[in-house]
Amino acid sequence: MAECEVNYACACGKSMPLIHLFFCKYCVTLRCPKCVSHEVDSYYCPHCLENIPSAEAKSMKNKCQSCLECPNCTNILQVRSAQVPMVRREAGKVKGFGQFKKVYYLQCSFCFWTTRDVNQPDKAASNGPWIEPQVEDNWMSGIVNYYRHLIQKEKVEMEKRKRQRRGSFLGSLGISDKLLPFSKLARSSFSMNLTGTGQFDENIVNNFTPLEAEEETEPADEKYYTAPGEPYHYASVASRINQPSNEVYYACDLKPNCTHLMVKRSQRCRECEHNLSKPEFNPSSIKFKIHQIALRFVPRFRIVKMVSLKPGEFTKVHFSLTNPTEYNLPVELLPLPEGHPSYSKLTTEIKLPDKELMLAARDDTAQYDTDASIQDFDDDPDIVVARRMNKLTFVISVKPLGTSGSVIMGFQLKVQVQGYDSFYST
Amino acid sequence: MLASYEVEREIFTYNKQEFITTASGNKVSRRSVLCGSQNIVINGKTIIKAGCMIRGDLANIKLGKYCTLEEGVVIRPPFKKFIKGCAFFPIQLGDCCLVGEGTVVHAATVGNFIRFGKNCYIGRRCIVKDCVVVDEGAIVKDDTVMPPFTRWAGSPAKIIEELPESMAYVLGEDSQEYYEKFVPGADVGPGWGSAVRRISAVRLLSGVKKPEPVSQLPGEKAVQEDG
């Protein structure tokens, strides 16, 4: 398909294709993704499509513990079984039983990486955790702990300052804060924070020493200068970035990654706080409980056929408007006002239809009804080319002002939305 | 960049002799190969172009409404190896799917409102949910699960973008438009011989006359005749 863009302007002035926009029926205006606030509805794993409660997702750092990815190619690892002979050690000798036991390991079906490549021992059971939960005992956890206590300390100090400002009258009466029920409530709600504890350790806050940059660093090992390079021994940059906490250098230290969770989100108009989009809970479903997309309210403007334009001359170009609503929709095409932000970007002069265009209602059953008679509208043959169900093809004469570059035309579309005032779309 | 479908599709006229049109509106090319046609169920208003191979002899295949299989597409049921041989699984394509030229679909289930680009490979036992777009040349690994509203590209294919919420509406309208603009041209004479069993490269047979282009769809009321 030919390269071209049809952009609709949002209420904030930003232009983008209609497929990205929402229509707020309370504000009677278009909303772009920047004009809506996003809220997370639910978390789900993109592989097993299982909903994960938000508390569990937070504790697992937004990762699915049951679906593991190959550190090489990020393909999902599969459990493979193998039969290993059972052995018994007696008096320093290894004796075989002649029996076999089943062991399980992980393998990538795309690049054939296995957990055996990184010397991870096979498991006796196919289910159960493959990666042990990481215990953070490095300096990173120390920094996180320090900031946690610092936040607590700052909150307590802020609260003291507020009490001193507010509580001067109460203090003069001799009533302590602890005896007042409301202040207790306020204190308890104030202490409900992300860290979960209301106390801080003064020692940790005071004794924390930041890192200092040093001029002299440790000298590199001699083998980096003398030994021949074996690039396949080292983990690739992409693999290392996927495992930042492991600090991997060699490929044999790579571990399977947990799959990142995806999010089902609902969107809300920032102005009126009404929901514009609310998906269903099921991750596999594409249905929505609330689905106010612009495509269902605003007529869709499209180019019927790309034609070659001559600079300085008017050329008739066919465009189409498709009515998404179930009632006849009158529309009017008006020139773009000079104060509009996009006015300066226009590179054409256009002749718009001067009359109101009537778009027929959308009828989903019309495709099955072969004898359906097309409703007669009083169409001007100079403007309207053809009519098919809810689509109207009409003519706009376009004259490019420059001799080269992109051809940009703009206009205002006045739409009478049923039940509301007229709505202007640019 | 994701196509926004802002330019309408052109009317595509096909040789009436080439396509068999069924009562439910399916248009199947005589140059396509449908093995095991008793196992193939096509729901209606589906276009199967030349060079397509549908392996219904291996397992049941079900195609939804308004599906389009471009030239050279292969729909092959996936299999799984067991200790005692292998078993083929049925394959199901949903409504409003458009499969690009040369793509091989080996998946287990394909949902509704799907777009597969040209020369893709959809791996064995893949589960493709609704509203998924796969870019040209992508190789989707076996056993991949493709969640709704995602766009995949690369080899191995990865999620590169999440699609907007209105994508189902856009893709559904586009598939219906494709079918409506796939119209038969005027008769151009006798047919061109027996079907070719397998076409490895898409090319028109020499000597096949192209029908004259049509400027207006049937059922479209023209207000201005000189367009």
Side-chain angles (χ1 to χ4, degrees):
Chain A
M1 268 190 253
E3 287 275 334
C4 95
E5 284 181 19
V6 175
N7 292 332
Y8 285 66
C10 169
C12 63
K14 198 166 178 189
S15 295
M16 52 178 63
L18 198 62
I19 57 171
H20 296 286
L21 296 172
F22 297 95
F23 181 75
C24 181
K25 55 185 185 181
Y26 300 96
C27 307
V28 195
T29 184
L30 291 174
R31 293 281 177 219
C32 67
K34 301 279 182 188
C35 296
V36 296
S37 55
H38 302 241
E39 292 164 7
V40 171
D41 262 4
S42 60
Y43 296 90
Y44 67 96
C45 171
H47 180 69
C48 54
L49 294 176
E50 215 181 275
N51 263 313
I52 308 232
S54 54
E56 192 183 328
K58 200 175 170 185
S59 65
M60 295 295 168
K61 296 178 188 176
N62 295 331
K63 288 184 182 178
C64 178
Q65 296 299 310
S66 50
C67 300
L68 297 170
E69 285 180 350
C70 170
N72 258 344
C73 63
T74 66
N75 186 20
I76 293 291
L77 293 170
Q78 290 171 338
V79 180
R80 291 260 185 261
S81 67
Q83 295 215 319
V84 165
M86 288 172 72
V87 295
R88 185 177 57 188
R89 290 176 193 278
E90 270 182 14
K93 291 179 192 172
V94 174
K95 284 186 182 175
F97 270 128
Q99 287 178 4
F100 294 87
K101 66 173 180 179
K102 238 180 181 179
V103 290
Y104 300 93
Y105 61 97
L106 294 172
Q107 188 186 28
C108 173
S109 58
F110 191 79
C111 64
F112 299 106
W113 179 92
T114 67
T115 44
R116 287 175 166 181
D117 293 343
V118 296
N119 298 324
Q120 188 167 331
D122 298 342
K123 276 176 61 182
S126 60
N127 48 10
W130 284 91
I131 296 179
E132 287 168 12
Q134 233 179 352
V135 177
E136 285 180 350
D137 55 354
N138 50 12
W139 62 270
M140 188 72 184
S141 64
I143 294 174
V144 170
N145 203 24
Y146 161 70
Y147 275 107
R148 212 175 273 153
H149 287 270
L150 188 67
I151 288 167
Q152 271 312 301
K153 185 185 169 187
E154 283 177 358
K155 276 187 179 170
V156 166
E157 281 173 3
M158 209 158 68
E159 199 186 339
K160 272 184 193 166
R161 267 182 253 140
K162 273 189 186 170
R163 275 195 222 148
Q164 279 166 7
R165 269 184 242 149
R166 269 192 260 137
S168 56
F169 171 67
L170 293 169
S172 65
L173 288 178
I175 297 170
S176 150
D177 273 348
K178 287 181 188 172
L179 297 176
L180 291 170
F182 300 112
S183 64
K184 259 192 189 170
L185 272 172
R187 211 183 312 133
S188 62
S189 67
F190 194 74
S191 66
M192 259 170 54
N193 47 43
L194 293 170
T195 57
T197 56
Q199 296 174 357
F200 65 93
D201 192 346
E202 194 77 47
N203 290 329
I204 291 174
V205 174
N206 293 337
N207 297 339
F208 185 77
T209 49
L211 280 174
E212 280 177 16
E214 292 172 4
E215 276 189 24
E216 286 181 16
T217 54
E218 282 176 16
D221 203 336
E222 283 226 3
K223 69 175 183 185
Y224 292 118
Y225 299 104
T226 52
E230 286 161 341
Y232 52 85
H233 280 181
Y234 300 103
S236 66
V237 174
S239 313
R240 289 193 216 177
I241 288 169
N242 282 337
Q243 296 185 3
S245 52
N246 282 354
E247 293 181 9
V248 171
Y249 293 108
Y250 300 107
C252 57
D253 293 334
L254 287 170
K255 285 180 188 165
N257 297 320
C258 291
T259 311
H260 265 288
L261 299 179
M262 288 178 74
V263 146
K264 279 241 173 192
R265 58 180 182 181
S266 61
Q267 319 218 32
R268 198 182 279 271
C269 175
R270 280 188 209 267
E271 301 290 323
C272 61
E273 302 288 333
H274 281 100
N275 257 325
L276 296 175
S277 163
K278 196 170 173 68
E280 282 203 347
F281 188 69
N282 188 358
S284 312
S285 168
I286 56 165
K287 292 185 184 168
F288 290 81
K289 292 176 194 167
I290 300 170
H291 196 39
Q292 290 189 31
I293 50 170
L295 278 168
R296 291 196 183 275
F297 292 91
V298 176
R300 199 172 165 198
F301 183 83
R302 300 170 80 194
I303 303 171
V304 173
K305 197 177 176 182
M306 299 291 272
V307 294
S308 51
L309 299 168
K310 293 171 192 169
E313 283 181 35
F314 277 104
T315 314
K316 285 189 178 179
V317 184
H318 291 191
F319 297 97
S320 73
L321 273 171
T322 309
N323 179 11
T325 59
E326 287 168 356
Y327 42 86
N328 291 345
L329 200 69
V331 297
E332 227 177 297
L333 277 76
L334 305 167
L336 203 63
E338 280 188 26
H340 196 273
S342 304
Y343 187 80
S344 52
K345 294 179 194 170
L346 299 181
T347 58
T348 54
E349 194 185 313
I350 52 175
K351 282 187 191 168
L352 293 166
D354 45 3
K355 292 180 192 170
E356 195 180 70
L357 300 170
M358 182 62 83
L359 302 178
R362 179 193 167 104
D363 185 7
D364 287 329
T365 57
Q367 57 182 302
Y368 304 110
D369 193 0
T370 49
D371 297 332
S373 58
I374 299 165
Q375 202 176 352
D376 267 329
F377 294 98
D378 191 16
D379 291 326
D380 186 351
D382 291 331
I383 299 168
V384 176
V385 171
R387 202 179 262 284
R388 182 182 163 82
M389 292 194 287
N390 60 333
K391 191 173 89 165
L392 180 78
T393 308
F394 60 98
V395 165
I396 295 179
S397 300
V398 180
K399 174 179 155 190
L401 296 172
T403 50
S404 63
S406 47
V407 177
I408 301 171
M409 58 178 263
F411 58 91
Q412 255 192 347
L413 187 72
K414 184 180 169 186
V415 178
Q416 183 73 38
V417 181
Q418 202 172 54
Y420 306 98
D421 296 333
S422 295
F423 153 70
Y424 288 84
S425 174
T426 358
Chain B
M1 207 177 77
L2 186 67
S4 53
Y5 305 95
E6 300 306 345
V7 179
E8 288 193 13
R9 289 190 179 272
E10 289 185 9
I11 295 174
F12 186 93
T13 45
Y14 61 88
N15 189 344
K16 229 182 192 175
Q17 301 286 328
E18 184 182 342
F19 281 81
I20 305 165
T21 306
T22 67
S24 50
N26 296 317
K27 294 177 182 174
V28 181
S29 168
R30 290 177 200 273
R31 289 191 285 159
S32 63
V33 178
L34 270 64
C35 304
S37 48
Q38 66 276 10
N39 293 336
I40 301 174
V41 173
I42 306 176
N43 268 355
K45 303 205 174 179
T46 293
I47 301 167
I48 298 174
K49 290 193 177 175
C52 284
M53 177 174 281
I54 303 182
R55 296 295 305 270
D57 54 332
L58 302 170
N60 289 337
I61 296 181
K62 199 171 174 187
L63 297 178
K65 283 186 316 186
Y66 291 109
C67 279
T68 303
L69 306 183
E70 297 275 5
E71 283 95 345
V73 164
V74 176
I75 309 280
R76 193 191 311 151
F79 65 89
K80 195 159 189 182
K81 280 183 195 167
F82 295 101
I83 300 162
K84 295 178 184 177
C86 66
F88 285 90
F89 294 104
I91 185 173
Q92 203 171 343
L93 259 77
D95 299 337
C96 302
C97 296
L98 181 87
V99 186
E101 288 167 19
T103 295
V104 177
V105 180
H106 227 171
T109 51
V110 177
N112 306 318
F113 312 111
I114 300 293
R115 286 291 176 275
F116 291 147
K118 293 181 193 174
N119 302 316
C120 294
Y121 173 76
I122 312 298
R124 287 187 208 116
R125 300 178 297 274
C126 277
I127 299 173
V128 187
K129 293 288 177 185
D130 302 338
C131 259
V132 168
V133 171
V134 177
D135 279 1
E136 204 174 303
I139 308 281
V140 180
K141 306 152 278 192
D142 297 349
D143 300 299
T144 306
V145 175
M146 302 166 88
F149 293 112
T150 47
R151 185 177 163 207
W152 296 68
S155 166
K158 291 177 194 170
I159 298 175
I160 56 163
E161 198 183 348
E162 282 201 47
L163 300 174
E165 286 84 356
S166 54
M167 212 60 204
Y169 186 93
V170 168
L171 294 177
E173 299 266 312
D174 183 58
S175 290
Q176 291 184 26
E177 190 192 2
Y178 193 113
Y179 181 81
E180 284 164 13
K181 293 200 170 170
F182 192 76
V183 291
D187 274 340
V188 291
W192 20 256
S194 57
V196 178
R197 295 309 288 175
R198 180 85 172 101
I199 295 178
S200 55
V202 173
R203 61 186 186 278
L204 281 175
L205 294 174
S206 59
V208 172
K209 289 180 197 170
K210 274 191 178 175
E212 283 174 18
V214 166
S215 60
Q216 192 179 298
L217 291 173
E220 194 170 301
K221 184 184 168 190
V223 177
Q224 203 171 6
E225 290 202 356
D226 56 349

